[in-house]
Structures are given as C-alpha cells and as structure tokens.
C-alpha cells in the first residue's frame, strides 16, 4: 500500500466505497489522516462500518465542517451529466475535490528514494482503445527484460494498493478519462496516448470534453517523454502542442498503417512490420505477424505504443522483440480461447463499442461473428465497411432483433443467448474460420460486466467442442 502523504492529522472524506474508494480510505488512514466515508449503497456503508471506518452521511447540511478534502471514486460523475450532490456540497463548502490517482502521484515519492541508485519511474497510458493491452504489454516487456515493475490503475490493482517503490522500479498505470479528468496531481515520467474514438460522451458532455479529460495527462502532467498515436486529428494536435519542433524527440509519434517521416522519433506498423525511425534513419524492425498475443492492426498499434514507451527507458529493440514473442495477451481482448478442426475461437468481449469491434473484425478473415448487447449511442453504421470478413453474424442480447436489422447486407441470425449463438456458430464453422466474440455493445442487458460475458463465451465454447 502507498500511504497518503500531506493529510496527517486531518479529516478527509471519501465518496464511493468500491475498489478505489476503499483503497483510498485505507491509504489515508495509513498516512495518518482520519477518513470519513460515504456510499449511496447501504451494503457498502455497512461493509465499511464493519471494517472500522467512520461512516458519515455527507449529504447532510454541515457534513463538510472540518474536512480537508473530498476523494471521489472514478465512477461518480462530478460535472456531467450532473454533479453528484455530495460533490456539489463540497464545492459549496470550499472543500477541494480530488481522486485516488492524484493521491498516488502526491504520495509515491518518499525520502527512501534518496538511497536508491536508480529513481523509480511512472508510465501512464490513456486513450479510447488499447489502453489495457498497451499497459499490460509494457509491464510484460519490462519484467521479461529484468526490470522490476508493477501494473495498476484501471487494470490490475488500484493505484494505492501497490507496494512502495523499489530501487529502479517502473510503475505502469492504465488511466481512464474518469481518472484523469478530476486528478489535481498528474506527474508521469512517460505518458502514452493510444487513440481517440467517441466514448463516455454523456459523462464528458461530448467528444470535446472527452478529449480534454484525457489531454490533461499531457498538458498538466508535463511528462518527460510523450508517446502519441497520431492516426486521429486529436493525436496530431496533441503531438504538435507538446513538440517544440520537428526534431524534438521528447515526443514519439506512433501510427498503425501509415509511414511516419521526419526528423523526430517515429514508430509505426505497416503490413505487419513495426519500424522505428529516428532522425530520418531506421533503427529497428520487428515482424509482428506471428505474435499470437497481438493479432490485427489495432494490436500492432498497441505494440508500437508499448515499444516506444520501453525505448524511452533505454530497453533494446531485440530485448523488446523477445518479450513480445512471449506476450500471452489479455483475457477478453483478442484472447485465443481454443482451436478445433481448423476453427479458432477468439474472445474479444472487451470490444464494447463500435470502433473496438471494427478493429477486431479487421484482424481476422472468415469470421463467424457473435455480437450484440446493450447498444451505445451512434448506431452501428461504423461497422458496415468491415462486414466483408463476416460469413455470418450471430446476434445476442435483449435488443438482438434491432441490432441484427442494422447490420445491412450481412447474414445475421438472431440467437438471443450466448449458448445459442456459440452452438450455431460451431455448427456452421468450417476449417479456416474464426468464431469471434466482439459484441460492439455493453454487456449490462445480460451480464454484470464484460468479463462475465467473456467467461460465458469461453464456457459455451468448451461445452460445444
């Protein structure tokens, strides 16, 4: 655990008692603060009380008297579509509102670092798609190259649940827009921007607010090095804003699909090959096509981002390549589940929006596509250009009929349940086909989360084959 610094002897309120909220309360107490906690759910409040925390109704008038700060869990809206009443009350009382990410950055460095030979570093990864894979891949590369590393944030454990830093350690954080938007302290050594596509628009009042939330990691974080995906206008804009000129190698530009020229530091993937070009000269090249844990152009972009981040730390191209070869992939993200009679089964349950599902469809040929669920805003038109690889779509979810009707030109079978979809796909599949779960929708109509949806897919596959 990282004890929180700066609040010893003070009362700090914590709103939301999920994973990050509980960890914040514990870390505050470990650092000498007195946490008072609140959650909208009675069960969470009872659990916190049983754990010895002082549960205080922060919705009551005067609840913030004597409170030094309010720490808010990332799932709680602080501005759009409307501020939570407790946050509004903190504003009215003049109490600073913050989150656990900020507490981490304020507390990670300690006096113990004076005795280290090599200062610990933090790599923070944000973006719309690929954050988890990029973060996990960076962590895997570091470990395989003998560097001590921890993985936390929106993946793995909470940021305050990690161990205090060791000499030369690297902490890899995956950060969502919910986490970067509110944090008062953001000071990574290396910051990575994967890409930007529409998501969480209600929480950020549109794409501009969503972009602004993620941009804070770079504009206010002031990283020593920034790795920026430049395949969208927002990435190009951000790279331009951070760079002092064409040869400024503090900004590493990353692309999947286009060759990057110029005097700076560029890493790109084309036709399955990663290339590193620095000062106009190719430094290294990696064949990504046979790396099973990184299939498709979208994962090649993730590979480029991870490669770039690791190069900023001085790792060699060969060392990075060896580590990539052994990368197993993440559960529910282009995860190879099984193979029988030449048919592969791939679980990409994390493809919860149109853009991520489109990337999955581009990664394979001859697809038996299991899709559907709770649709997000914008419809499915963004998928239509990629249906040429789909032999048949097997649609699940409560909105399966409506979902299937939007797949114009595709052979779509309404199945309703995962079990029925897998059974039908297995029956239809021929050697060379890929049975792919890439829902292009949220899971909440049938499952509590995308992980449970992916696990159900895997269980149905095992039962069917």
């Amino acid at each position: 655990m990282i004890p929180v610094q700066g609040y010893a002897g003070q009362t700090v309120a914590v709103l939301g008692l999920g994973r990050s909220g509980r960890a914040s309360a514990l870390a505050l107490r470990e650092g000498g603060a007195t946490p008072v906690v609140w959650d909208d759910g009675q069960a969470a409040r009872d659990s916190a009380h049983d754990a010895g925390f002082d549960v205080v109704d922060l919705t009551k008038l005067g609840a913030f008297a004597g409170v030094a700060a309010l720490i808010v869990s990332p799932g709680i809206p602080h501005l759009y579509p409307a501020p939570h009443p407790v946050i509004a009350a903190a504003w009215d009382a003049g109490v600073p509102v913050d989150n656990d990410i900020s507490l981490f950055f304020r507390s990670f460095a300690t006096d113990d670092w004076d005795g280290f030979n090599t200062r610990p570093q933090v790599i923070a990864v944000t973006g719309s798609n690929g954050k988890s894979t990029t973060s996990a891949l960076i962590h895997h590369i570091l470990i395989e190259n003998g560097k001590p590393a921890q993985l936390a944030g929106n993946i793995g454990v909470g940021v305050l649940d990690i161990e205090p830093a060791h000499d030369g350690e690297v902490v890899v954080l995956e950060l969502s827009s919910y986490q970067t938007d509110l944090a008062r302290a953001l000071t990574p050594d290396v910051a990575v921007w994967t890409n930007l596509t529409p998501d969480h628009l209600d929480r950020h009042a549109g794409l501009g607010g969503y972009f602004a939330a993620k941009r804070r990691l770079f504009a206010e974080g002031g990283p020593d090095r920034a790795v920026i995906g430049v395949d969208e206008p927002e990435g190009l804009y951000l790279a331009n804003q951070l760079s002092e000129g064409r040869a400024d190698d503090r900004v590493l530009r990353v692309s999947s699909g286009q060759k990057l020229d110029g005097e700076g530091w560029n890493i790109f993937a084309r036709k399955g090959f990663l290339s590193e070009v620095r000062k106009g000269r190719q430094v290294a090249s990696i064949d990504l096509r046979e790396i099973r844990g990184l299939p498709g152009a979208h994962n090649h972009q993730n590979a480029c981002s991870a490669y770039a981040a690791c190069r900023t730390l001085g790792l060699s191209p060969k060392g990075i390549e060896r580590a990539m070869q052994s990368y197993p992939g993440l559960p529910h993200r282009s995860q190879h589940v099984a193979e029988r009679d030449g048919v592969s089964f791939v679980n990409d349950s994390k493809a919860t929006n149109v853009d991520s599902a489109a990337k999955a469809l581009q990664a394979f040929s001859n697809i038996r596509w299991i899709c559907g669920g709770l649709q997000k805003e914008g419809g499915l038109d963004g998928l239509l250009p990629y249906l040429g690889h789909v032999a048949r779509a097997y649609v699940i979810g409560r909105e399966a009929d409506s979902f299937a009707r939007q797949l114009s030109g595709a052979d779509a079978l309404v199945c309703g349940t995962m079990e029925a979809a897998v059974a039908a796909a297995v029956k239809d599949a021929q050697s060379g086909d890929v049975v792919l779960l890439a829902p292009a929708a949220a899971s909440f109509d049938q499952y509590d989360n995308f992980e449970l949806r992916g696990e159900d897919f895997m269980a149905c596959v095992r039962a069917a084959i």
Side-chain angles (χ1 to χ4, degrees):
M1 175 170 288
I2 305 294
V4 172
Q5 301 181 43
Y7 290 108
Q10 300 182 69
T11 299
V12 179
V14 177
L15 175 63
L17 296 172
R19 184 184 70 168
S20 67
R22 287 288 290 263
S24 296
L26 288 167
L28 283 161
R29 189 163 65 185
E30 189 71 17
T34 300
V36 296
V37 303
W38 182 253
D39 192 284
D40 291 336
Q42 184 65 50
R45 298 197 297 266
D46 291 343
S47 176
H49 179 270
D50 293 343
F53 289 110
D54 188 6
V55 179
V56 173
D57 188 348
L58 299 176
T59 66
K60 290 187 175 180
L61 188 66
F64 283 98
V67 171
L70 172 65
I71 307 304
V72 178
S73 294
I76 299 173
H78 58 273
L79 191 54
Y80 303 111
H84 189 282
V86 170
I87 295 174
W91 291 345
D92 288 341
V95 172
V97 178
D98 211 342
N99 67 9
D100 62 327
I101 303 301
S102 180
L103 295 181
F104 166 81
F105 279 112
R106 291 177 56 174
S107 306
F108 186 50
T110 66
D111 292 340
D112 293 341
W113 289 24
D114 293 339
F116 290 169
N117 292 319
T118 303
R119 181 178 63 85
Q121 293 181 284
V122 176
I123 298 175
V125 180
T126 196
S128 296
N129 299 306
K131 297 187 301 295
S132 296
T133 295
T134 300
S135 301
L137 181 57
I138 292 169
H139 180 257
H140 177 80
I141 292 168
L142 293 170
I143 295 297
E144 291 296 303
N145 280 272
K147 277 193 169 289
Q150 297 187 70
L151 179 64
N154 207 42
I155 185 175
V157 302
V159 291
L160 295 172
D161 278 330
I162 69 171
E163 294 299 316
H166 300 292
D167 194 338
E169 187 167 49
V170 180
V171 173
V172 184
L173 301 181
E174 179 196 337
L175 299 182
S176 72
S177 60
Y178 291 6
Q179 295 169 309
T180 58
D181 196 17
L182 190 59
R184 288 168 171 254
L186 287 167
T187 54
D189 298 280
V190 180
V192 179
W193 173 282
T194 59
N195 50 57
L196 190 83
T197 58
D199 206 357
H200 307 305
L201 300 187
D202 58 337
R203 176 68 180 262
H204 299 292
L207 186 60
Y210 180 50
F211 171 55
K214 290 184 175 295
R215 181 178 177 270
R216 293 188 72 247
L217 181 64
F218 302 83
E220 300 185 30
D224 297 331
R225 284 272 170 65
V227 175
I228 309 292
V230 295
D231 289 334
E232 296 89 28
E234 292 86 357
L236 284 168
Y237 168 83
L238 184 58
N240 184 270
Q241 286 276 298
L242 296 173
S243 175
E244 293 296 329
R246 293 166 61 184
D248 186 354
D249 66 0
R250 295 173 304 168
V251 178
L252 289 76
R253 291 168 173 81
V254 165
S255 174
S256 175
Q258 59 175 318
K259 181 179 180 181
L260 299 179
D261 294 314
E263 303 169 25
W265 200 348
N266 301 310
I267 295 94
F268 58 89
R270 291 183 71 204
K271 298 180 180 179
F273 285 87
L274 178 153
S275 296
E276 177 187 359
V277 177
R278 195 169 186 183
K279 297 180 179 179
R281 295 185 178 182
Q282 181 164 309
V283 175
S285 178
I286 297 175
D287 185 351
L288 301 172
R289 295 172 299 175
E290 300 303 318
I291 300 178
R292 192 171 217 176
L294 297 167
H298 63 301
N299 274 313
H300 294 174
Q301 182 186 55
N302 299 334
C304 288
S305 296
Y307 177 95
C310 291
R311 288 288 285 143
T312 69
L313 301 184
L315 272 66
S316 71
K318 289 296 183 185
I320 296 173
E321 181 178 9
R322 283 193 299 271
M324 284 184 174
Q325 294 288 350
S326 63
Y327 177 66
L330 280 177
H332 315 297
R333 297 162 177 87
S334 298
Q335 177 188 8
H336 185 268
V337 174
E339 186 170 335
R340 191 188 74 168
D341 298 333
V343 177
S344 297
F345 296 83
V346 176
N347 168 24
D348 202 347
S349 183
K350 185 62 168 64
T352 59
N353 59 40
V354 165
D355 185 72
S356 54
K359 287 180 169 62
L361 292 177
Q362 294 172 74
F364 305 99
S365 301
N366 306 321
I367 299 170
R368 302 287 173 177
W369 178 34
I370 299 176
C371 55
L374 191 63
Q375 277 188 241
K376 297 186 177 181
E377 293 180 18
L380 303 179
D381 287 352
L383 290 168
L384 301 184
Y386 309 106
L387 298 182
H389 293 177
V390 176
R392 195 176 203 186
Y394 306 81
V395 188
I396 64 173
R398 290 206 303 257
E399 302 172 349
D401 287 327
S402 171
F403 198 102
R405 283 195 297 270
Q406 295 177 65
L407 300 177
S408 177
D411 178 9
L413 176 66
V414 173
C415 298
T417 68
M418 184 70 72
E419 183 180 15
V422 170
V426 169
K427 181 180 178 182
D428 293 344
Q430 303 173 8
S431 179
D433 287 354
V434 175
V435 176
L436 170 67
L437 171 65
S443 60
F444 305 124
D445 58 333
Q446 292 181 308
Y447 304 92
D448 287 342
N449 51 56
F450 72 86
E451 292 96 339
L452 289 175
R453 178 171 58 190
E455 289 166 8
D456 190 25
F457 170 74
M458 293 188 289
C460 290
V461 168
R462 287 192 292 268
I465 69 171

